[in-house]
Amino acid sequence: QLSLFRFTVKRPFSTSYSSVDSKEMKKFQLLAHKWWDEEGEYAALHAMNDIRVPFIRDTLLSMSSNYHPGNPLSGIKILDVGCGGGLLSEPLGRLGASVTGIDPVEDNIRTADRHKSFDPVLDKRIQYKSSSLEEIVEESMETFDVIVASEVVEHVADLETFIKCCSQVLKPEGSLFITTINKTQLSYVLGIVVAEKIMGIVPEGTHEWEKFVPPEELERLLESNGFSVRTVNGMLYNPLSGSWGWMESTSLNYAVHAVKSGAQARSHTTDAPPETDIQQHSATAGTAG
Amino acid sequence: SSAAMAALRGWALLAPLGARLRAGPRAPLRSAASAPPLYDVVVSGGGMVGSAMAAVLGHDIHFHDKKIALLEAGPRKEYDHVPDSYSNRVSSISPGSATLLRSCGAWDHVCNLRLKPFRRMQVWDACSEAMIVFEKDDLDDMGYIVENDVIMSALTKQLDAVADRVEVFYRSRAVGYTWPLPSHSCDASPWVQVELADGCRLQTKLLIGADGHNSVVRKEAEIKNIAHQYDQSAVVATLHLSEATDNNVAWQRFLPTGPIALLPLSDTASSLVWSTSHDHASELLAMDEESFVDSINSAFWSNKNHSDLIDTAGAMFRSAISLLKPSGTAVRQLPPSVAKVDPESRAMFPLGMGHATEYVQHRVALIGDAAHRVHPLAGQGVNLGFGDIACLAHHLSATAFNGSDLGSLKHLLKFETERQRHNVSLIAATDVLKRLYSTTLAPLVLLRTWGLQATNALPPVKVRI
């Protein structure tokens, strides 16, 4: 009965809305004012910053030779797709990046705008826009160095269209970071039954198991749309400690880093590098006199 | 309205973390244009601990582009050359604290001004022969006796070095703090508002309270403090020894009235820290210089508190130990004798202990004496504060490198857990020692005598101390 409301009509991706699911929008509208309560409905997303921000930061640092002390992401233009209340945009902004956050739910953008307005530095570095990805493609061709789509692809109606749009607004050799949930029996039991219905880690109804994306399918779609997948890593939430960690298995949550091919097409293997790389990068917080 | 505030407070008490999100007076609405200047960190209190906190953060690579403010009620303290006479307020600086000061470049200045390393600590009981000696096997320094003014001067220089990041407000006293409402109500300012005596206002993402054992930050944040006034005052003075000596030993003798300590300043001078009853302290301050010097020598040398029972029991215990562990009793050195006291250097201050039940709240952290106050008998006071700084700076640095909100309670709690775990046992132990040594009752004296002798003989326990 749920599919009656689904907006899955395929249209050319340069006109609007084909990757935005209006039923999904409604779910998030109801919680628009709850984004910034660290102990509330979005607590697990706040906690996820502790691994997804270092992952993005360290990957980008390892790919560039400039380092600005205090602003490691200085000079980098990032698009945060499905930014919600700005939970991920703000840390990226604090690290020096110029961030554009887009979200189809206007209330989310309003919340995000208000929250960043109190910090003059963030106010300048982050711009929010109520929009879908398709709507900004025309004016933003090859504009961004990085796209982050965290906890978003499991909510879009048409994943391939979404990926094509990402490729269009990304500069050649730009990076795409995705975090999402695998479609497995385990993710149904833990991700829906336990997380939503039993423990209330995620508000009930947030996720639909049907829309979860297995990493193999995501990799296939990325590779066939001009991306080369560099990293796939499993993530695990510990509800007792309220914190996230990396794990070998991608059977629950996972993160992907992919790079848009440059001018010449290149072929890459898609082996996931060992987890130890990630841990080494994020182990240090330096103090230098 | 007050009913709404009461309801909010009531709700806040139910949730364990919610209790930390204070519902104080509502922060006034301001447009961004007229808002007071916003700092990433404001440190309230420019003593040794507050200044070191600001200097360490100012030298942290991840704070390169951040704005820090240090509020100090007093004037700027700095000198290029040390005065000829010693200040009567000195601190025993541990190697760990020296490392922290080195990390922000202040230790070099200290070394260029004046300090005295010591190699050995001898602690003994006035009621028995029991003694414990602390010594490092590897000929490293155990610690350093440094005048507080020297440390302040060194820190001031290093604050100057990062003036582009750290703004120091001298002669500025904070008179009011306004706390933000819990973060999910997004109409009012999310920052801490600080009002200064001269009417200036600041906003900050994190307020660090380093304003001493009567901390205003702690009081305004309504953090419960367990405090106890000891019935003791400490008498300090600068003393001149009868004869020049290597003077690299710190001496402490536990008298029934309290511990008396001699901390080396140079080959000919030492600093006195004598904790005793309020009345006796006043007497010591009032008596003439000769009598004062006699009291000190008598305190270190006289055996009038020994009893035959204790002496015999102690001697038996010692020979028992030497059977089991031949090297277990150390050579007893004799403390130096004092010839005169620096005029004008005698002073006294009351002693107490205190421990804040929480070190952190949303956007607030306490360090140094604001968080914990101990008896000087362990020589730990400022070292605990420097330890707080090392831990808090480490966590704030990681938080900054992750792009997270510096005032977020979730990250501040990591600092609290780590430091409370370390501090509570030391503060409790110091308190117990103080009480244990405040008596001449034979059973307790025997207990501590044997305890001290056993501790002296057992390397693992000694190393832990």
Side-chain angles (χ1 to χ4, degrees):
Chain A
Q1 70 277 32
L2 300 171
S3 56
L4 283 176
F5 300 97
R6 234 189 256 178
F7 214 53
T8 51
V9 176
K10 286 206 198 309
R11 292 186 193 156
F13 51 79
S14 57
T15 57
S16 51
Y17 290 113
S18 67
S19 77
V20 172
D21 184 326
S22 68
K23 192 182 137 290
E24 298 277 359
M25 276 179 60
K26 271 203 176 47
K27 278 192 292 204
F28 284 102
Q29 221 141 18
L30 292 169
L31 293 170
H33 56 293
K34 298 282 182 88
W35 284 103
W36 288 100
D37 179 3
E38 285 187 32
E39 308 304 318
E41 279 85 346
Y42 288 113
L45 269 185
H46 278 276
M48 199 191 281
N49 277 344
D50 289 341
I51 62 167
R52 61 184 171 171
V53 173
F55 174 52
I56 296 168
R57 172 198 76 206
D58 292 339
T59 306
L60 294 176
L61 279 177
S62 71
M63 285 169 38
S64 103
S65 46
N66 300 329
Y67 184 70
H68 306 261
N71 281 306
L73 300 185
S74 173
I76 299 181
K77 290 188 65 170
I78 303 184
L79 175 67
D80 183 1
V81 183
C83 61
L87 265 59
L88 182 51
S89 298
E90 287 202 5
L92 295 174
R94 280 197 201 95
L95 290 179
S98 301
V99 183
T100 303
I102 62 171
D103 197 280
V105 178
E106 259 187 57
D107 286 339
N108 287 348
I109 295 297
R110 214 170 297 137
T111 301
D113 261 330
R114 192 156 51 210
H115 196 266
K116 70 148 183 163
S117 70
F118 293 103
D119 184 337
V121 168
L122 286 184
D123 209 19
K124 270 207 316 262
R125 285 195 189 146
I126 307 176
Q127 304 307 319
Y128 290 116
K129 211 169 138 155
S130 170
S131 164
S132 70
L133 181 56
E134 292 86 345
E135 282 170 320
I136 64 158
V137 164
E138 271 182 42
E139 72 211 24
S140 322
M141 299 292 285
E142 300 205 341
T143 305
F144 296 100
D145 300 297
V146 176
I147 297 181
V148 303
S150 181
E151 305 304 296
V152 160
V153 301
E154 69 267 25
H155 296 286
V156 304
D158 183 345
L159 186 52
E160 182 148 27
T161 304
F162 183 86
I163 291 173
K164 281 185 163 58
C165 290
C166 287
S167 178
Q168 290 197 295
V169 302
L170 204 54
K171 288 182 189 163
E173 296 182 52
S175 282
L176 172 61
F177 292 92
I178 292 175
T179 75
T180 187
I181 311 178
N182 197 349
K183 187 176 178 181
T184 59
Q185 283 189 329
L186 194 61
S187 73
Y188 182 74
V189 172
L190 291 182
I192 306 264
V193 178
V194 174
E196 290 188 14
K197 301 191 198 306
I198 298 180
M199 293 195 68
I201 297 167
V202 177
E204 192 163 351
T206 299
H207 289 129
E208 284 170 49
W209 186 77
E210 286 301 319
K211 297 178 77 175
F212 286 174
V213 183
E216 302 79 32
E217 189 187 318
L218 184 57
E219 279 184 74
R220 180 184 63 78
L221 285 172
L222 286 167
E223 296 275 336
S224 59
N225 282 287
F227 283 94
S228 126
V229 175
R230 299 283 177 89
T231 310
V232 179
N233 249 303
M235 297 159 56
L236 181 65
Y237 183 64
N238 179 341
L240 297 175
S241 65
S243 65
W244 288 86
W246 296 108
M247 72 166 174
E248 282 261 3
S249 158
T250 54
S251 52
L252 285 170
N253 297 72
Y254 63 96
V256 171
H257 170 231
V259 173
K260 174 177 169 181
S261 313
Q264 305 129 328
R266 275 175 274 164
S267 64
H268 282 276
T269 57
T270 57
D271 291 324
E275 202 180 301
T276 45
D277 273 355
I278 303 292
Q279 280 163 355
Q280 262 161 22
H281 280 302
S282 42
T284 50
T287 52
Chain B
S1 74
S2 60
M5 285 300 163
L8 203 54
R9 251 191 214 104
W11 164 86
L13 282 170
L14 289 174
L17 274 180
R20 310 289 195 111
L21 304 176
R22 294 193 65 257
R26 200 186 173 94
L29 266 176
R30 285 191 203 291
S31 73
S34 67
L38 174 64
Y39 291 86
D40 293 286
V41 177
V42 166
V43 180
S44 183
M48 286 190 285
V49 172
S51 300
M53 182 84 244
V56 168
L57 285 179
H59 282 80
D60 187 298
I61 192 172
H62 299 301
F63 272 72
H64 191 270
D65 285 355
K66 303 248 183 279
K67 284 177 62 173
I68 302 165
L70 174 64
L71 305 175
E72 166 52 28
R76 184 184 160 97
K77 287 193 194 132
E78 184 191 14
Y79 42 54
D80 280 316
H81 311 285
V82 281
D84 290 327
S85 60
Y86 288 90
S87 159
N88 60 9
R89 295 307 306 269
V90 307
S91 295
S92 166
I93 301 295
S94 68
S97 297
T99 303
L100 179 79
L101 292 172
R102 200 173 289 124
S103 79
C104 67
W107 192 245
D108 282 341
H109 300 311
V110 170
C111 294
N112 290 336
L113 286 170
R114 188 156 63 193
L115 84 166
K116 186 78 176 75
F118 62 92
R119 297 263 158 81
R120 202 170 186 262
M121 260 177 69
Q122 182 167 304
V123 179
W124 73 111
D125 194 334
C127 299
S128 76
E129 289 300 307
M131 175 189 80
I132 182 167
V133 172
F134 295 92
E135 197 157 39
K136 278 193 141 187
D137 296 323
D138 41 2
L139 298 181
D140 270 347
D141 296 325
M142 263 204 78
Y144 311 90
I145 304 297
V146 190
E147 292 153 273
N148 293 355
D149 286 343
V150 166
I151 297 176
M152 276 310 309
S153 189
L155 288 171
T156 303
K157 267 206 176 63
Q158 285 311 102
L159 286 170
D160 286 345
V162 290
D164 53 336
R165 277 160 247 170
V166 182
E167 214 176 315
V168 186
F169 293 75
Y170 289 107
R171 301 185 193 275
S172 297
R173 183 184 303 276
V175 295
Y177 299 101
T178 309
W179 311 110
L181 286 173
S183 52
H184 54 272
S185 129
C186 27
D187 287 338
S189 167
W191 315 126
V192 177
Q193 314 289 320
V194 182
E195 189 182 340
L196 303 182
D198 61 4
C200 281
R201 302 183 87 98
L202 313 171
Q203 299 189 91
T204 181
K205 300 174 189 173
L206 172 64
L207 174 68
I208 298 181
D211 48 349
H213 66 261
N214 283 323
S215 168
V216 174
V217 173
R218 188 189 65 222
K219 289 191 186 122
E220 294 278 311
E222 292 183 7
I223 292 175
K224 275 204 185 34
N225 191 42
I226 299 168
H228 177 81
Q229 290 297 112
Y230 290 129
D231 52 0
Q232 287 186 344
S233 284
V235 172
V236 293
T238 307
L239 307 172
H240 294 277
L241 307 178
S242 307
E243 48 189 45
T245 165
D246 271 343
N247 207 14
N248 51 18
V249 181
W251 309 95
Q252 178 151 283
R253 193 179 197 198
F254 282 99
L255 307 174
T257 46
I260 179 170
L262 220 53
L263 305 171
L265 290 171
S266 73
D267 287 348
T268 55
S270 288
S271 187
L272 174 78
V273 182
W274 190 347
S275 311
T276 184
S277 69
H278 298 306
D279 289 339
H280 187 217
S282 305
E283 274 174 41
L284 285 169
L285 244 58
M287 59 177 68
D288 61 272
E289 289 178 12
E290 241 186 78
S291 313
F292 183 67
V293 168
D294 286 341
S295 306
I296 296 172
N297 285 323
S298 162
F300 272 108
W301 290 83
S302 120
N303 282 337
K304 73 170 194 284
N305 284 302
H306 289 203
S307 79
D308 286 336
L309 168 66
I310 307 282
D311 280 353
T312 314
M316 279 170 53
F317 193 70
R318 239 192 339 278
S319 39
I321 291 184
S322 60
L323 280 175
L324 296 167
K325 209 179 172 308
S327 63
T329 56
V331 173
R332 179 187 299 270
Q333 269 185 254
L334 297 172
S337 79
V338 178
K340 74 184 189 69
V341 58
D342 249 357
E344 317 290 323
S345 73
R346 279 188 269 176
M348 69 184 256
F349 51 90
L351 298 176
M353 73 83 92
H355 193 246
T357 51
E358 294 163 350
Y359 286 5
V360 300
Q361 276 190 2
H362 181 56
R363 302 206 183 286
V364 182
L366 300 176
I367 56 173
D369 281 4
H372 41 69
R373 182 189 182 197
V374 291
H375 195 281
L377 70 84
Q380 285 310 303
V382 79
N383 294 312
L384 284 183
F386 286 140
D388 291 343
I389 294 172
C391 180
L392 183 56
H394 168 81
H395 286 291
L396 288 179
S397 186
T399 303
F401 192 46
N402 283 351
S404 298
D405 181 353
L406 291 172
S408 153
L409 183 59
K410 208 161 139 262
H411 300 110
L412 292 174
L413 281 172
K414 293 184 197 152
F415 154 72
E416 180 187 82
T417 306
E418 220 180 288
R419 285 312 285 173
Q420 280 196 336
R421 210 182 287 147
H422 175 275
N423 291 343
V424 169
S425 47
L426 196 144
I427 293 167
T430 308
D431 190 60
V432 165
L433 274 180
K434 185 259 168 209
R435 293 169 197 281
L436 184 60
Y437 275 95
S438 297
T439 175
T440 45
L441 292 175
L444 288 171
V445 173
L446 265 179
L447 178 71
R448 75 195 190 208
T449 300
W450 290 343
L452 201 58
Q453 287 175 325
T455 311
N456 194 34
L458 296 171
V461 181
K462 265 173 71 169
V463 165
R464 208 164 166 278
I465 298 177

